[in-house]
Amino acid sequence: MRNIPNEVTGLKRGSLRLVSRRIGAVVIAGLFIFGGYQLVSSQLFYGYDKTEVVREYDLDRDGQTEHYVLKAQQLTVTKEGQEIWQSSADWQVTGFVLADATNDGRDDLLLVVWKPGSFGRDKPFWISVDDQRLSNHLFVLDLIQGKLRPVWFSSALDRPIQALEVNDIESDGKNELVVQEERSWWDRIRERRVPSEESITYWQWKSWGFYQVKGDNEG
């Protein structure tokens, strides 16, 4: 076998090291860009917008309106100048809707919330430790005798809510939730097409909880 001069061998080794460094730099840059994109997306999605949302509404229909202010991801409700409710400090409230979502003739306060943990104090018996990652939830409350009381709180949602409204889409006298959801990358890959990052789904209250009645994949 012909001997290879040391300077050539050294050049080849140096080239390999240079190529390895460049590949490593590209991989690291890619991870940084991907991680940065995810961070920016999360910040935008979790409600870092400082816009203040104000509504006047008579939720309990007693003839006196309440004042709803969503600011810095916290909702405050006042009535006749007195604060009657404020969302928890560990909730990130990204939106709210005032409407009869449960079809019981009583208007509800619906909150789109990000908070740590999938469950609250009442966990299913098979769950010993709650996952404390930040997750998206839908909360429903009613104003009863001057106090906002919980009606139904969801566990962590698989598809975070980006927008929400309540409408009678079937014109049958029953309201539905019209939800713009965020698709995961896995959802988009599984659909084998190039959909938008959001999907519209429709849900209706039945007995105890919301059940999907229509969505993008149901025709």
Short mmCIF file of all heavy atoms in Angstrom, two decimals, residues 118-166:
data_model
loop_
_atom_site.label_atom_id
_atom_site.label_comp_id
_atom_site.label_asym_id
_atom_site.label_seq_id
_atom_site.Cartn_x
_atom_site.Cartn_y
_atom_site.Cartn_z
N SER A 118 -53.23 19.61 34.35
CA SER A 118 -54.39 19.23 33.55
C SER A 118 -55.68 19.33 34.34
O SER A 118 -56.73 19.63 33.80
CB SER A 118 -54.22 17.79 33.03
OG SER A 118 -55.33 17.40 32.26
N PHE A 119 -55.58 19.09 35.66
CA PHE A 119 -56.77 19.07 36.50
C PHE A 119 -56.65 20.10 37.63
O PHE A 119 -55.58 20.66 37.85
CB PHE A 119 -56.97 17.67 37.11
CG PHE A 119 -57.02 16.57 36.09
CD1 PHE A 119 -55.88 15.82 35.82
CD2 PHE A 119 -58.18 16.29 35.39
CE1 PHE A 119 -55.92 14.80 34.87
CE2 PHE A 119 -58.22 15.28 34.43
CZ PHE A 119 -57.08 14.54 34.18
N GLY A 120 -57.73 20.30 38.32
CA GLY A 120 -57.72 21.18 39.49
C GLY A 120 -57.59 20.35 40.75
O GLY A 120 -56.88 19.34 40.80
N ARG A 121 -58.31 20.77 41.77
CA ARG A 121 -58.25 20.02 43.04
C ARG A 121 -58.88 18.64 42.92
O ARG A 121 -58.48 17.70 43.61
CB ARG A 121 -58.97 20.82 44.13
CG ARG A 121 -58.24 22.09 44.56
CD ARG A 121 -59.04 22.88 45.57
NE ARG A 121 -60.31 23.33 45.00
CZ ARG A 121 -61.23 24.02 45.67
NH1 ARG A 121 -61.01 24.33 46.94
NH2 ARG A 121 -62.34 24.41 45.08
N ASP A 122 -59.88 18.51 42.04
CA ASP A 122 -60.59 17.24 41.89
C ASP A 122 -60.03 16.47 40.71
O ASP A 122 -60.40 16.71 39.56
CB ASP A 122 -62.09 17.49 41.70
CG ASP A 122 -62.69 18.25 42.87
OD1 ASP A 122 -62.31 17.95 44.01
OD2 ASP A 122 -63.53 19.14 42.63
N LYS A 123 -59.12 15.54 41.00
CA LYS A 123 -58.50 14.73 39.96
C LYS A 123 -59.23 13.40 39.84
O LYS A 123 -59.80 12.91 40.82
CB LYS A 123 -57.03 14.47 40.29
CG LYS A 123 -56.16 15.72 40.37
CD LYS A 123 -54.69 15.36 40.49
CE LYS A 123 -54.39 14.64 41.77
NZ LYS A 123 -54.52 15.48 42.95
N PRO A 124 -59.23 12.78 38.65
CA PRO A 124 -59.76 11.42 38.52
C PRO A 124 -59.01 10.47 39.45
O PRO A 124 -57.83 10.67 39.73
CB PRO A 124 -59.48 11.08 37.04
CG PRO A 124 -59.34 12.39 36.36
CD PRO A 124 -58.75 13.31 37.37
N PHE A 125 -59.68 9.44 39.92
CA PHE A 125 -59.09 8.56 40.93
C PHE A 125 -57.84 7.85 40.41
O PHE A 125 -56.97 7.45 41.18
CB PHE A 125 -60.12 7.53 41.41
CG PHE A 125 -60.51 6.51 40.37
CD1 PHE A 125 -59.80 5.34 40.20
CD2 PHE A 125 -61.62 6.74 39.55
CE1 PHE A 125 -60.16 4.40 39.25
CE2 PHE A 125 -61.99 5.81 38.59
CZ PHE A 125 -61.26 4.64 38.43
N TRP A 126 -57.73 7.70 39.07
CA TRP A 126 -56.56 7.00 38.52
C TRP A 126 -55.36 7.92 38.32
O TRP A 126 -54.29 7.48 37.93
CB TRP A 126 -56.93 6.32 37.20
CG TRP A 126 -57.34 7.28 36.12
CD1 TRP A 126 -56.55 7.95 35.24
CD2 TRP A 126 -58.69 7.68 35.82
NE1 TRP A 126 -57.30 8.75 34.40
CE2 TRP A 126 -58.62 8.59 34.74
CE3 TRP A 126 -59.95 7.36 36.34
CZ2 TRP A 126 -59.76 9.19 34.18
CZ3 TRP A 126 -61.06 7.96 35.79
CH2 TRP A 126 -60.97 8.85 34.73
N ILE A 127 -55.52 9.22 38.60
CA ILE A 127 -54.42 10.17 38.49
C ILE A 127 -53.88 10.45 39.88
O ILE A 127 -54.60 10.97 40.74
CB ILE A 127 -54.88 11.48 37.83
CG1 ILE A 127 -55.44 11.22 36.42
CG2 ILE A 127 -53.73 12.49 37.77
CD1 ILE A 127 -54.42 10.74 35.42
N SER A 128 -52.61 10.10 40.12
CA SER A 128 -52.02 10.34 41.44
C SER A 128 -51.30 11.68 41.51
O SER A 128 -51.36 12.39 42.52
CB SER A 128 -51.04 9.21 41.80
OG SER A 128 -50.03 9.09 40.80
N VAL A 129 -50.60 12.04 40.43
CA VAL A 129 -49.86 13.30 40.39
C VAL A 129 -50.25 14.05 39.12
O VAL A 129 -50.17 13.52 38.01
CB VAL A 129 -48.33 13.05 40.39
CG1 VAL A 129 -47.58 14.38 40.31
CG2 VAL A 129 -47.92 12.28 41.64
N ASP A 130 -50.68 15.30 39.28
CA ASP A 130 -51.10 16.11 38.14
C ASP A 130 -49.88 16.62 37.38
O ASP A 130 -48.88 17.02 37.97
CB ASP A 130 -51.94 17.29 38.63
CG ASP A 130 -52.74 17.93 37.50
OD1 ASP A 130 -52.65 17.45 36.36
OD2 ASP A 130 -53.46 18.91 37.77
N ASP A 131 -49.97 16.58 36.06
CA ASP A 131 -48.92 17.12 35.20
C ASP A 131 -48.94 18.64 35.30
O ASP A 131 -49.96 19.27 35.04
CB ASP A 131 -49.18 16.68 33.75
CG ASP A 131 -48.08 17.12 32.80
OD1 ASP A 131 -47.19 17.88 33.23
OD2 ASP A 131 -48.11 16.70 31.63
N GLN A 132 -47.82 19.23 35.67
CA GLN A 132 -47.79 20.68 35.93
C GLN A 132 -47.36 21.51 34.73
O GLN A 132 -47.06 22.69 34.87
CB GLN A 132 -46.87 20.97 37.12
CG GLN A 132 -47.44 20.51 38.45
CD GLN A 132 -48.81 21.13 38.74
OE1 GLN A 132 -48.96 22.35 38.76
NE2 GLN A 132 -49.81 20.28 38.98
N ARG A 133 -47.32 20.91 33.54
CA ARG A 133 -47.01 21.69 32.35
C ARG A 133 -48.16 22.65 32.04
O ARG A 133 -49.31 22.39 32.36
CB ARG A 133 -46.76 20.77 31.15
CG ARG A 133 -45.47 20.00 31.24
CD ARG A 133 -45.31 19.08 30.04
NE ARG A 133 -46.34 18.05 30.02
CZ ARG A 133 -46.43 17.11 29.08
NH1 ARG A 133 -45.56 17.09 28.08
NH2 ARG A 133 -47.38 16.20 29.14
N LEU A 134 -47.83 23.76 31.38
CA LEU A 134 -48.84 24.73 30.98
C LEU A 134 -49.74 24.13 29.91
O LEU A 134 -49.24 23.58 28.91
CB LEU A 134 -48.16 26.00 30.45
CG LEU A 134 -48.99 27.28 30.42
CD1 LEU A 134 -49.38 27.70 31.83
CD2 LEU A 134 -48.20 28.39 29.73
N SER A 135 -51.05 24.19 30.10
CA SER A 135 -51.98 23.60 29.14
C SER A 135 -53.22 24.47 29.01
O SER A 135 -53.53 25.30 29.87
CB SER A 135 -52.38 22.18 29.57
OG SER A 135 -52.86 22.15 30.90
N ASN A 136 -53.94 24.25 27.92
CA ASN A 136 -55.10 25.06 27.58
C ASN A 136 -56.38 24.42 28.10
O ASN A 136 -56.54 23.20 28.04
CB ASN A 136 -55.15 25.23 26.06
CG ASN A 136 -56.22 26.22 25.62
OD1 ASN A 136 -57.03 25.94 24.75
ND2 ASN A 136 -56.21 27.41 26.21
N HIS A 137 -57.32 25.26 28.56
CA HIS A 137 -58.56 24.78 29.16
C HIS A 137 -59.72 25.69 28.76
O HIS A 137 -59.52 26.86 28.43
CB HIS A 137 -58.47 24.77 30.69
CG HIS A 137 -57.34 23.95 31.23
ND1 HIS A 137 -57.52 22.71 31.82
CD2 HIS A 137 -56.00 24.18 31.27
CE1 HIS A 137 -56.36 22.22 32.20
NE2 HIS A 137 -55.42 23.10 31.87
N LEU A 138 -60.93 25.13 28.85
CA LEU A 138 -62.16 25.90 28.70
C LEU A 138 -62.93 25.83 30.01
O LEU A 138 -63.22 24.74 30.50
CB LEU A 138 -63.02 25.35 27.56
CG LEU A 138 -64.39 26.02 27.38
CD1 LEU A 138 -64.22 27.50 27.00
CD2 LEU A 138 -65.22 25.29 26.33
N PHE A 139 -63.24 26.99 30.59
CA PHE A 139 -63.96 27.06 31.85
C PHE A 139 -65.32 27.73 31.62
O PHE A 139 -65.43 28.70 30.87
CB PHE A 139 -63.19 27.87 32.90
CG PHE A 139 -61.90 27.23 33.36
CD1 PHE A 139 -60.99 27.96 34.10
CD2 PHE A 139 -61.60 25.91 33.06
CE1 PHE A 139 -59.80 27.38 34.55
CE2 PHE A 139 -60.42 25.31 33.50
CZ PHE A 139 -59.52 26.06 34.24
N VAL A 140 -66.35 27.21 32.29
CA VAL A 140 -67.70 27.77 32.21
C VAL A 140 -68.14 28.15 33.62
O VAL A 140 -68.07 27.33 34.54
CB VAL A 140 -68.69 26.76 31.60
CG1 VAL A 140 -70.08 27.39 31.50
CG2 VAL A 140 -68.22 26.29 30.23
N LEU A 141 -68.58 29.40 33.78
CA LEU A 141 -69.06 29.88 35.08
C LEU A 141 -70.41 30.56 34.90
O LEU A 141 -70.72 31.08 33.83
CB LEU A 141 -68.07 30.87 35.70
CG LEU A 141 -66.64 30.40 35.94
CD1 LEU A 141 -65.74 30.79 34.77
CD2 LEU A 141 -66.08 30.99 37.23
N ASP A 142 -71.21 30.59 35.98
CA ASP A 142 -72.49 31.29 36.00
C ASP A 142 -72.50 32.30 37.14
O ASP A 142 -71.88 32.07 38.20
CB ASP A 142 -73.65 30.31 36.20
CG ASP A 142 -74.05 29.62 34.90
OD1 ASP A 142 -73.52 30.00 33.83
OD2 ASP A 142 -74.88 28.70 34.96
N LEU A 143 -73.20 33.39 36.93
CA LEU A 143 -73.37 34.40 37.97
C LEU A 143 -74.66 34.09 38.72
O LEU A 143 -75.76 34.24 38.18
CB LEU A 143 -73.41 35.80 37.35
CG LEU A 143 -73.51 36.97 38.33
CD1 LEU A 143 -72.32 36.99 39.29
CD2 LEU A 143 -73.58 38.30 37.57
N ILE A 144 -74.52 33.65 39.97
CA ILE A 144 -75.66 33.24 40.78
C ILE A 144 -75.63 34.00 42.11
O ILE A 144 -74.62 33.94 42.84
CB ILE A 144 -75.64 31.72 41.04
CG1 ILE A 144 -75.68 30.96 39.71
CG2 ILE A 144 -76.82 31.31 41.93
CD1 ILE A 144 -75.50 29.47 39.86
N GLN A 145 -76.69 34.73 42.39
CA GLN A 145 -76.80 35.52 43.62
C GLN A 145 -75.58 36.41 43.83
O GLN A 145 -75.01 36.47 44.93
CB GLN A 145 -77.01 34.58 44.82
CG GLN A 145 -78.32 33.82 44.74
CD GLN A 145 -78.55 32.90 45.92
OE1 GLN A 145 -77.62 32.63 46.70
NE2 GLN A 145 -79.76 32.41 46.08
N GLY A 146 -75.17 37.04 42.75
CA GLY A 146 -74.08 38.01 42.84
C GLY A 146 -72.68 37.43 42.86
O GLY A 146 -71.71 38.18 43.00
N LYS A 147 -72.56 36.10 42.72
CA LYS A 147 -71.23 35.48 42.74
C LYS A 147 -71.04 34.58 41.52
O LYS A 147 -71.97 33.87 41.12
CB LYS A 147 -71.06 34.63 44.01
CG LYS A 147 -71.04 35.46 45.29
CD LYS A 147 -70.76 34.58 46.50
CE LYS A 147 -70.70 35.42 47.78
NZ LYS A 147 -70.40 34.59 48.97
N LEU A 148 -69.84 34.64 40.94
CA LEU A 148 -69.53 33.75 39.82
C LEU A 148 -69.13 32.39 40.35
O LEU A 148 -68.18 32.26 41.14
CB LEU A 148 -68.39 34.36 38.97
CG LEU A 148 -68.86 35.37 37.92
CD1 LEU A 148 -67.69 36.18 37.39
CD2 LEU A 148 -69.55 34.65 36.76
N ARG A 149 -69.88 31.38 39.92
CA ARG A 149 -69.66 30.03 40.41
C ARG A 149 -69.31 29.10 39.24
O ARG A 149 -69.87 29.22 38.15
CB ARG A 149 -70.91 29.51 41.12
CG ARG A 149 -71.38 30.42 42.25
CD ARG A 149 -72.63 29.88 42.92
NE ARG A 149 -73.18 30.81 43.89
CZ ARG A 149 -72.77 30.90 45.16
NH1 ARG A 149 -71.79 30.12 45.59
NH2 ARG A 149 -73.34 31.77 45.99
N PRO A 150 -68.36 28.18 39.47
CA PRO A 150 -67.96 27.26 38.40
C PRO A 150 -69.09 26.30 38.04
O PRO A 150 -69.77 25.76 38.92
CB PRO A 150 -66.77 26.50 39.00
CG PRO A 150 -66.92 26.64 40.48
CD PRO A 150 -67.58 27.96 40.71
N VAL A 151 -69.31 26.12 36.75
CA VAL A 151 -70.29 25.16 36.23
C VAL A 151 -69.57 23.93 35.70
O VAL A 151 -69.92 22.79 36.00
CB VAL A 151 -71.14 25.79 35.11
CG1 VAL A 151 -72.05 24.75 34.47
CG2 VAL A 151 -71.96 26.95 35.65
N TRP A 152 -68.54 24.16 34.90
CA TRP A 152 -67.80 23.07 34.27
C TRP A 152 -66.41 23.56 33.86
O TRP A 152 -66.28 24.59 33.22
CB TRP A 152 -68.56 22.59 33.04
CG TRP A 152 -67.95 21.45 32.29
CD1 TRP A 152 -68.06 20.12 32.57
CD2 TRP A 152 -67.14 21.53 31.11
NE1 TRP A 152 -67.37 19.38 31.64
CE2 TRP A 152 -66.80 20.22 30.74
CE3 TRP A 152 -66.67 22.60 30.34
CZ2 TRP A 152 -66.01 19.94 29.62
CZ3 TRP A 152 -65.88 22.34 29.23
CH2 TRP A 152 -65.56 21.01 28.88
N PHE A 153 -65.38 22.83 34.31
CA PHE A 153 -64.00 23.15 33.96
C PHE A 153 -63.41 21.97 33.20
O PHE A 153 -63.42 20.84 33.71
CB PHE A 153 -63.15 23.41 35.21
CG PHE A 153 -63.37 24.76 35.84
CD1 PHE A 153 -64.45 25.56 35.49
CD2 PHE A 153 -62.50 25.24 36.81
CE1 PHE A 153 -64.66 26.79 36.08
CE2 PHE A 153 -62.69 26.48 37.40
CZ PHE A 153 -63.78 27.26 37.04
N SER A 154 -62.89 22.20 32.02
CA SER A 154 -62.30 21.10 31.25
C SER A 154 -60.92 20.76 31.81
O SER A 154 -60.26 21.58 32.44
CB SER A 154 -62.17 21.49 29.78
OG SER A 154 -61.04 22.31 29.56
N SER A 155 -60.49 19.53 31.53
CA SER A 155 -59.10 19.18 31.75
C SER A 155 -58.30 19.74 30.57
O SER A 155 -58.84 20.50 29.75
CB SER A 155 -58.94 17.66 31.85
OG SER A 155 -59.49 17.03 30.71
N ALA A 156 -57.02 19.41 30.47
CA ALA A 156 -56.18 19.95 29.39
C ALA A 156 -56.73 19.55 28.03
O ALA A 156 -57.09 18.38 27.81
CB ALA A 156 -54.75 19.46 29.55
N LEU A 157 -56.83 20.50 27.11
CA LEU A 157 -57.35 20.25 25.78
C LEU A 157 -56.23 19.78 24.85
O LEU A 157 -55.12 20.32 24.89
CB LEU A 157 -57.99 21.51 25.21
CG LEU A 157 -59.15 22.10 26.02
CD1 LEU A 157 -59.61 23.41 25.39
CD2 LEU A 157 -60.31 21.13 26.11
N ASP A 158 -56.54 18.78 24.01
CA ASP A 158 -55.54 18.29 23.06
C ASP A 158 -55.20 19.35 22.02
O ASP A 158 -54.05 19.45 21.58
CB ASP A 158 -56.06 17.03 22.35
CG ASP A 158 -56.20 15.86 23.31
OD1 ASP A 158 -55.43 15.81 24.28
OD2 ASP A 158 -57.07 15.00 23.07
N ARG A 159 -56.20 20.12 21.61
CA ARG A 159 -56.00 21.17 20.61
C ARG A 159 -56.36 22.51 21.24
O ARG A 159 -57.52 22.79 21.50
CB ARG A 159 -56.87 20.92 19.38
CG ARG A 159 -56.49 19.68 18.59
CD ARG A 159 -57.39 19.52 17.39
NE ARG A 159 -57.00 18.42 16.53
CZ ARG A 159 -57.61 18.11 15.39
NH1 ARG A 159 -58.66 18.82 15.00
NH2 ARG A 159 -57.19 17.11 14.66
N PRO A 160 -55.38 23.35 21.50
CA PRO A 160 -55.64 24.64 22.14
C PRO A 160 -56.63 25.50 21.35
O PRO A 160 -56.66 25.46 20.12
CB PRO A 160 -54.26 25.29 22.19
CG PRO A 160 -53.30 24.15 22.16
CD PRO A 160 -53.94 23.12 21.29
N ILE A 161 -57.43 26.27 22.07
CA ILE A 161 -58.42 27.16 21.47
C ILE A 161 -57.75 28.47 21.07
O ILE A 161 -57.13 29.13 21.90
CB ILE A 161 -59.57 27.43 22.46
CG1 ILE A 161 -60.31 26.12 22.79
CG2 ILE A 161 -60.53 28.47 21.89
CD1 ILE A 161 -61.34 26.28 23.90
N GLN A 162 -57.92 28.84 19.81
CA GLN A 162 -57.40 30.12 19.34
C GLN A 162 -58.50 31.18 19.27
O GLN A 162 -58.22 32.36 19.41
CB GLN A 162 -56.75 29.95 17.97
CG GLN A 162 -55.46 29.12 18.02
CD GLN A 162 -54.63 29.30 16.78
OE1 GLN A 162 -55.15 29.56 15.71
NE2 GLN A 162 -53.33 29.14 16.92
N ALA A 163 -59.72 30.76 19.01
CA ALA A 163 -60.86 31.69 18.99
C ALA A 163 -62.11 30.90 19.31
O ALA A 163 -62.19 29.69 19.05
CB ALA A 163 -60.98 32.37 17.63
N LEU A 164 -63.10 31.58 19.85
CA LEU A 164 -64.31 30.91 20.33
C LEU A 164 -65.50 31.84 20.21
O LEU A 164 -65.41 33.02 20.52
CB LEU A 164 -64.12 30.49 21.79
CG LEU A 164 -65.31 29.91 22.54
CD1 LEU A 164 -65.64 28.53 22.01
CD2 LEU A 164 -65.01 29.84 24.03
N GLU A 165 -66.63 31.28 19.76
CA GLU A 165 -67.89 32.02 19.78
C GLU A 165 -69.03 31.04 19.98
O GLU A 165 -68.88 29.83 19.82
CB GLU A 165 -68.09 32.83 18.50
CG GLU A 165 -68.24 32.00 17.24
CD GLU A 165 -68.46 32.89 16.00
OE1 GLU A 165 -68.01 34.04 16.01
OE2 GLU A 165 -69.09 32.40 15.06
N VAL A 166 -70.19 31.57 20.36
CA VAL A 166 -71.38 30.75 20.60
C VAL A 166 -72.46 31.18 19.62
O VAL A 166 -72.84 32.36 19.58
CB VAL A 166 -71.87 30.90 22.05
CG1 VAL A 166 -73.17 30.11 22.26
CG2 VAL A 166 -70.80 30.43 23.03
#
